[in-house]
Amino acid sequence: MTRRDFSERDIHMALDGELPGEERVAYDSWLEASPEMKAKSVRYIADRAALRAAFAGVMDEPVPARLRQTVLGEATVRAAAWRSRWWLSAAAAVVLVAGGLAGYVAGIDGIGRGDSADDQLAEQAIAAHVIYAAEKRHAVEVPASDMEHLQTWLSNRVGLKLVAPDLMAEGFQLVGGRLLPAGHGKAAMLLYEDAKGERISLFVTAESADKAKGTYMAEQGGPEAVYWLDKGYGCAVVGSLPRERLAAVAKSAYGQLLAGLAS
Amino acid sequence: MNEKKAAILGEIPRLRRYARSLLRDRDSADDLVQDCLERALVRLDNWQTGESPRRWLFTIMHHLFIDQMRKVNRRGEAQMLPLEAGEAQAAPAEQVESIASREIVDALQAISPDRRAALVMVAIEGFSYAEAANILGVPAGTLMSRIARGREELRGLLDDSARRRSIRVVEK
């Protein structure tokens, strides 16, 4: 029989099934002879069981539609489409939890075209923000003082019942809005400003078949977009705020937009 | 649907589990999986027939994870994910985590990404040392020491939190 000195390292190997079978008997008697090593082994076995149990549920969860879609989508996958945004999206992760309005969230299924409409929306929203948020006098077409007209006009043009979210609680006041082209349709842009002159914009379109959400940054250090796409509408909140603040503003805006759409 | 895509679809649950253990937050984890799938589809031709789809996909996902961790570190951000209490609470809670589960998941997030990945790969995903070393792109010796250190660190953190709990009880 093989005789060798065992060490703590062998505890890991035994646990991970890497200990050669012919050493097992000798290992077991070594372990029995050392209460300290035995205790270690017992704890590690328990920890592994706890780890497995903690993540076991994930295997039973239904595969999210967007992941199936990514694999099944027949559209060509562009190399450039790969873009890491998951580490940013955590900031926005809370946002959709509140978005359970039945009509909008239900009924999304099957295979989308996977043409990364989400990237398009975010890019358009960021482009609009970069151009118009920098404008001092011509940032908007219709000022907030003409609120009723602003909402009716944009709702009619975009084809959604648009209620400008009240972001005063987040420190942002509505400046006004404008109508923009977006893909084959139109988008409404609502511009907000805080006391320090920091601006954010809300970009809403009626076009979207995919369901997605995330955050997007066109370039390092540039403004960031938190966006959602759902059946019948897409929305992005763009700004150069600290991530948590942007996520908080976006959450508030999104909740109010959804409530407005359904009103 | 072709065979390759079918094989990829079949691996999604495992990829999600691995991503969740790396990132904890459900949406971030699924974003990571999505990035992995997108990249895999672009490189479908690189996948040799006969090669295990699991190993191939895990390798892609691990690279994405590590690249991003490095970028985040360069940007000087102490924490990559907002794991403040409020955020964690707001995560969808369809499976109610037991206290023991939450503790070990928290502890797992606290150890270094390299050790976390190595440990999870072997302890949860069931890869052999050779497979895991291959996926992570490190020598077997490095892998083993990451696993050993990772386990020690994890146990240390769990002991700490148990100690804190008992201190609280004593203080009452």
Side-chain angles (χ1 to χ4, degrees), chain A residues 8-9 12-13 15-16 18 43-44 47-48 50-59 61-64 66-68 70-74 77-79 81-87 89-94 97 213 217 220 243-244, chain B residues 1 5 8-9 12-14 16-17 20-21 23 25-28 30-35 37-39 41-42 64 68 72 75 77 80-82 87 90 95 101 104-105 108 122-124 128-129 144 147-148 151-152 154-155 158:
Chain A
E8 204 174 324
R9 179 188 159 94
H12 297 287
M13 293 188 66
L15 189 53
D16 297 326
E18 298 280 337
R43 278 199 298 270
Y44 287 157
D47 288 349
R48 181 179 62 177
L51 267 183
R52 287 182 177 170
F55 293 99
V58 181
M59 297 292 283
E61 290 174 9
V63 170
R66 64 167 164 135
L67 298 182
R68 287 183 57 82
T70 301
V71 177
L72 296 176
E74 292 307 319
V77 182
R78 302 161 299 136
W82 173 72
R83 193 174 288 107
S84 278
R85 55 189 181 277
W86 47 270
W87 57 286
S89 75
V94 272
V97 175
K213 70 179 192 307
M217 194 184 279
Q220 203 66 284
R243 202 178 299 160
E244 299 74 31
Chain B
M1 187 183 14
K5 286 190 173 179
I8 293 174
L9 272 184
I12 291 181
R14 275 173 176 276
R16 293 184 74 228
R17 179 173 64 180
R20 196 83 64 89
S21 67
L23 293 171
D25 175 79
R26 181 196 174 116
D27 290 299
S28 307
D30 280 342
D31 285 347
L32 174 58
V33 174
Q34 186 160 359
D35 277 351
L37 295 172
E38 283 173 7
R39 184 172 269 202
L41 288 170
V42 171
L64 289 170
Q68 198 57 65
V72 169
R75 285 154 57 104
E77 291 174 44
M80 145 166 171
L81 293 172
E87 203 95 12
Q95 93 265 32
S101 281
I104 202 154
V105 170
L108 188 65
V122 169
I124 300 181
S128 71
Y129 284 180
M144 285 183 69
I147 291 171
R151 270 202 185 108
E152 284 161 22
L154 192 71
R155 175 79 331 244
L158 292 169

Side-chain angles (χ1 to χ4, degrees), chain A residues 2 67 102 246:
Chain A
T2 348
L67 298 182
L246 187 65

Side-chain angles (χ1 to χ4, degrees), chain B residues 44-170:
Chain B
L44 218 47
D45 296 337
N46 292 8
W47 176 21
Q48 310 294 322
T49 28
E51 188 186 355
S52 144
R54 184 168 304 162
R55 219 160 55 201
W56 181 62
L57 289 165
F58 269 76
T59 306
I60 293 175
M61 196 155 82
H62 182 72
H63 284 307
L64 289 170
F65 172 66
I66 290 300
D67 283 354
Q68 198 57 65
M69 293 303 285
R70 288 201 186 112
K71 268 184 218 157
V72 169
N73 283 339
R74 267 206 303 277
R75 285 154 57 104
E77 291 174 44
Q79 225 184 0
M80 145 166 171
L81 293 172
L83 286 175
E84 300 96 38
E87 203 95 12
Q89 303 285 303
E94 59 260 49
Q95 93 265 32
V96 181
E97 286 180 345
S98 68
I99 292 173
S101 281
R102 200 160 55 227
E103 250 175 29
I104 202 154
V105 170
D106 285 343
L108 188 65
Q109 295 304 308
I111 70 177
S112 84
D114 283 338
R115 290 177 186 173
R116 196 188 316 155
L119 183 58
V120 166
M121 202 67 97
V122 169
I124 300 181
E125 297 305 328
F127 287 108
S128 71
Y129 284 180
E131 287 170 326
N134 193 276
I135 291 169
L136 303 185
V138 296
T142 307
L143 177 87
M144 285 183 69
S145 79
R146 283 183 187 175
I147 291 171
R149 298 248 168 78
R151 270 202 185 108
E152 284 161 22
E153 214 182 328
L154 192 71
R155 175 79 331 244
L157 290 164
L158 292 169
D159 285 344
D160 281 351
S161 65
R163 208 170 299 127
R164 273 201 303 278
R165 247 201 335 268
S166 62
I167 289 170
R168 273 203 297 277
V169 172
V170 170

